């Protein structure tokens, strides 16, 4: 058996109160889902985390699910305007999958407004309601039940508010390990976590030193215990993770917590650990909310684009819409035009984007060909070599995009670009490698600096 190293940390008084029971090793290796742990994470974050306690203006989504009658097996859809709804609400991130889930439509609206039996909802929704009520929240936002699914106008209006919906919520409940609406939250997990992967609490009994409650946990994050699941591969969810103040993940092996200050899980409940792979890169960059430099914001955005390009979307047309909330949040600080997923301030560099794997273009027009949003594939945008803007050999003399709706961060119907710069004479060869794949070889022979290159790319949707 390999050697296992452990870290020891002192528990704060709020943690110490629960040491004898909640932190006992028997509780940590028990198969039950410890929602008491999520409750403590939430209370600690709300009361102590300055970076997570951003005050909201009291803004509310257009519709919310009223859970006040949930103990009687009923939920009710409410229009928040004029109905006196002033309390906190929670949100749900979930995979739609192929299951036929209950939706808000013109046919079901009256039934939802009057009150609907919770038993008619998919399993994931039912469990999310239970969690919200356990955490003492009376309102919940679920996309399929709070956005009219058969109204293009309502969808465009509400999808444009998606960033605000998640950023103003008290907590985002994430069905991370479920593939569809019937997957639930409390998925099957091992009856006992491996002892070497488990944290436990002990109370010291020194005779010559001050005594305290100590948490002992492995000094590394064991394989198979990382935050992972089908939900994290979905394009819309990336925006939800970035915009939400707090996220409670229901993973396959355990609960995970993400906020702007702490990353925790059942094995490491206090977050007093060092890991590299618990979060994806966009969450490691959550400090972006405090960034003031345009160049830092550009770097953050390029990181988001790279991660986002690897995610999946049910509808190809959502490529720009599913990231619009993040773009809108950055717009004020960027102080420049947003052009089909690219910022004008460093458009020259953004035009150098490349792909790492097979590329597929959408069946319907989605963005001008000079934008990364025009294709499906893993995108890479070159990094800056210094903290200042770079010089480029090209000059962009004209660029514009034609919006498809009132949302300036959303879908586009066309775009145009005029670029001036030196011409290069080159020869391109497609070479077959020993492994049977192909690579492209390019030989540049001359650079004509006096020549003007003008490229225009105009499309209409």
């Amino acid at each position: 058996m390999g050697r296992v190293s452990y870290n020891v940390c002192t528990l704060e008084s709020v943690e110490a109160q629960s040491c004898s029971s909640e932190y006992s090793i028997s509780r940590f290796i028990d198969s039950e889902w410890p929602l008491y742990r999520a409750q403590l994470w939430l209370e600690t974050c709300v009361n102590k985390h300055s970076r997570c306690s951003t005050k909201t203006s009291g803004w509310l989504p257009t519709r919310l699910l009223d859970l006040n009658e949930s103990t009687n097996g009923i939920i009710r859809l409410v229009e928040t305007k004029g109905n006196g709804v002033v309390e906190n609400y929670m949100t749900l991130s979930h995979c739609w999958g192929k299951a036929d889930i209950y939706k808000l439509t013109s046919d079901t609206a009256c039934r939802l407004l009057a009150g609907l039996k919770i038993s008619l909802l998919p399993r994931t929704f039912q469990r999310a309601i239970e969690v919200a009520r356990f955490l003492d929240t009376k309102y919940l936002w679920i996309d399929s039940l709070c956005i009219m699914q058969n109204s293009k106008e309502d969808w465009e209006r509400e999808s444009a508010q998606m960033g605000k919906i998640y950023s103003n919520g008290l907590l985002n409940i994430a069905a991370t390990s479920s593939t569809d609406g019937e997957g639930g939250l409390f998925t099957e997990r091992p009856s006992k976590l491996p002892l070497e992967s488990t944290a436990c609490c002990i109370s010291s009994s020194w005779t010559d030193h001050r005594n305290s409650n100590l948490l002992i946990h492995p000094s590394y994050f064991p394989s198979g215990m990382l935050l992972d699941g089908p939900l994290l591969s979905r394009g819309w969810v990336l925006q939800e993770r970035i915009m939400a103040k707090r996220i409670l993940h229901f993973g396959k092996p355990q609960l995970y917590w993400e906020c702007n200050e702490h990353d925790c899980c059942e094995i490491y409940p206090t977050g007093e650990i060092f890991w590299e792979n618990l979060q994806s890169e966009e969450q490691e960059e959550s400090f972006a909310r405090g960034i003031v430099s345009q160049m830092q914001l550009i770097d953050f955005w390029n990181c988001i684009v790279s991660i986002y390009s690897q995610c999946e979307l049910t509808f190809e047309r959502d490529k720009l819409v599913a990231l619009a909330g993040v773009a809108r949040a950055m717009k004020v600080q960027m102080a420049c035009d947003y052009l089909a997923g690219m910022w004008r301030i460093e458009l020259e560099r953004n035009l150098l984007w490349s792909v790492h794997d097979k590329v597929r273009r959408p069946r319907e027009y989605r963005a001008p060909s000079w934008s990364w949003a025009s294709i499906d594939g893993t995108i890479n945008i070159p990094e800056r070599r210094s903290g200042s803007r770079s010089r480029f050999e090209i000059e962009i003399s004209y660029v514009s995009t034609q919006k498809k709706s009132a949302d300036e961060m959303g879908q586009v119907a066309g775009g145009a670009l005029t670029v001036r710069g030196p011409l290069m004479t080159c020869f391109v060869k497609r070479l077959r490698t020993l492994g049977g794949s192909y690579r492209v070889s390019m030989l540049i022979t001359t650079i004509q600096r006096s020549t003007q290159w003008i490229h225009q790319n105009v499309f209409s949707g």
Side-chain angles (χ1 to χ4, degrees):
M1 181 178 177
R3 180 178 297 176
V4 179
S5 60
Y6 289 85
N7 291 338
V8 179
C9 64
T10 303
L11 294 174
E12 297 181 14
S13 57
V14 65
E15 303 282 358
Q17 295 173 1
S18 305
C19 185
S20 60
S21 58
E22 293 180 354
Y23 280 111
S24 67
I25 194 167
S26 61
R27 290 300 300 268
F28 269 91
I29 61 176
D30 194 86
S31 62
E32 296 177 0
W33 289 86
L35 289 182
Y36 62 88
R37 168 53 41 202
Q39 189 173 41
L40 188 54
W41 284 334
L42 178 60
E43 290 173 357
T44 301
C45 181
V46 170
N47 296 324
K48 294 188 175 183
H49 293 177
S50 58
R51 290 172 59 190
C52 306
S53 60
T54 306
K55 293 183 179 180
T56 61
S57 59
W59 183 92
L60 292 171
T62 304
R63 307 176 187 94
L64 286 170
L65 297 171
D66 186 341
L67 311 183
N68 282 288
E69 298 181 57
S70 60
T71 53
N72 298 323
I74 299 293
I75 59 153
R76 193 182 311 277
L77 183 69
V78 294
E79 303 275 349
T80 58
K81 188 175 182 179
N83 275 324
V85 180
V86 294
E87 298 190 41
N88 285 322
Y89 66 92
M90 292 184 178
T91 56
L92 173 67
S93 288
H94 66 103
C95 289
W96 283 48
K98 297 181 179 179
D100 185 19
I101 61 176
Y102 202 97
K103 306 180 188 70
L104 171 62
T105 65
S106 53
D107 294 328
T108 62
C110 290
R111 195 173 185 183
L112 278 164
L113 290 167
L116 183 74
K117 289 184 178 178
I118 295 176
S119 59
L120 296 177
L121 298 175
R123 191 173 166 215
T124 300
F125 295 4
Q126 294 182 36
R127 298 297 175 260
I129 292 169
E130 293 173 9
V131 171
R133 293 304 287 132
F134 180 86
L135 297 175
D136 200 27
T137 301
K138 299 177 181 178
Y139 295 95
L140 180 64
W141 188 91
I142 302 177
D143 53 3
S144 62
L145 297 178
C146 295
I147 300 177
M148 193 72 71
Q149 299 299 313
N150 62 345
S151 168
K152 180 181 178 182
E153 293 75 17
D154 192 71
W155 185 88
E156 288 181 350
R157 182 175 58 253
E158 296 302 310
S159 63
Q161 302 291 332
M162 206 71 79
K164 292 180 69 175
I165 290 171
Y166 283 90
S167 64
N168 282 277
L170 178 66
L171 173 71
N172 184 37
I173 301 167
T176 306
S177 62
S178 297
T179 57
D180 57 36
E182 292 299 334
L185 296 179
F186 312 109
T187 57
E188 184 178 352
R189 62 179 186 171
S191 58
K192 291 183 182 294
L193 298 175
L195 186 60
E196 65 271 17
S197 304
T198 306
C200 67
C201 175
I202 62 172
S203 298
S204 64
S205 56
W206 313 111
T207 58
D208 57 350
H209 195 274
R210 179 184 175 184
N211 288 298
S212 60
N213 296 287
L214 305 173
L215 181 68
I216 303 175
H217 55 72
S219 58
Y220 69 97
F221 208 82
S223 175
M225 293 295 169
L226 298 175
L227 175 56
D228 193 16
L231 183 71
L232 303 186
S233 67
R234 306 305 302 173
W236 278 98
V237 174
L238 176 63
Q239 174 174 259
E240 295 163 11
R241 291 184 72 189
I242 293 172
M243 298 305 296
K245 294 188 189 75
R246 311 169 186 92
I247 308 174
L248 177 63
H249 292 273
F250 286 80
K252 191 167 186 178
Q254 59 181 318
L255 290 174
Y256 300 85
W257 172 271
E258 288 183 321
C259 69
N260 291 341
E261 291 198 19
H262 269 176
D263 306 314
C264 311
C265 62
E266 291 176 54
I267 293 178
Y268 303 124
T270 64
E272 300 293 338
I273 54 169
F274 300 94
W275 53 44
E276 294 181 358
N277 298 317
L278 174 62
Q279 306 181 96
S280 54
E281 294 176 46
E282 85 285 356
Q283 284 301 102
E284 293 173 351
E285 296 281 357
S286 61
F287 67 88
R289 292 185 181 89
I291 288 177
V292 295
S293 164
Q294 284 184 325
M295 292 300 101
Q296 286 179 303
L297 278 175
I298 285 291
D299 291 342
F300 177 56
W301 178 260
N302 291 345
C303 175
I304 292 173
V305 168
S306 178
I307 298 169
Y308 180 65
S309 65
Q310 302 172 54
C311 296
E312 302 171 4
L313 290 167
T314 302
F315 302 105
E316 294 178 332
R317 63 177 180 270
D318 291 347
K319 192 77 168 185
L320 291 171
V321 182
L323 210 56
V326 180
R328 191 172 292 103
M330 295 172 62
K331 173 72 173 177
V332 175
Q333 286 180 279
M334 291 304 300
C336 67
D337 291 334
Y338 180 72
L339 304 157
M342 305 164 83
W343 297 98
R344 179 62 185 90
I345 190 173
E346 276 244 320
L347 185 56
E348 293 86 354
R349 179 185 304 282
N350 288 341
L351 291 174
L352 296 175
W353 61 266
S354 60
V355 290
H356 288 298
D357 49 18
K358 294 181 179 179
V359 178
R360 187 181 67 83
R361 293 202 177 271
R363 289 181 290 272
E364 297 181 8
Y365 177 83
R366 189 171 65 198
S369 61
W370 41 265
S371 167
W372 57 265
S374 65
I375 60 102
D376 292 319
T378 302
I379 300 295
N380 175 63
I381 299 175
E383 296 180 358
R384 292 182 298 111
R385 295 184 179 180
S386 65
S388 59
R389 294 188 64 185
S390 304
R391 289 185 58 203
F392 294 93
E393 294 290 343
I394 64 169
E395 174 191 345
I396 298 174
S397 58
Y398 177 79
V399 62
S400 70
T401 54
Q402 179 186 347
K403 310 304 179 186
K404 203 170 185 178
S405 67
D407 183 10
E408 63 174 336
M409 305 296 180
Q411 295 174 320
V412 298
L417 174 70
T418 301
V419 177
R420 299 173 183 272
L423 287 174
M424 296 185 298
T425 301
C426 65
F427 297 93
V428 179
K429 287 185 179 181
R430 186 167 180 258
L431 305 175
R432 190 180 183 91
T433 65
L434 293 176
S437 60
Y438 289 90
R439 66 181 178 85
V440 174
S441 177
M442 184 170 65
L443 174 64
I444 301 175
T445 59
T446 61
I447 299 179
Q448 303 175 31
R449 293 191 178 275
S450 60
T451 305
Q452 185 181 76
W453 171 36
I454 300 179
H455 171 68
Q456 288 190 322
N457 186 357
V458 183
F459 289 93
S460 59

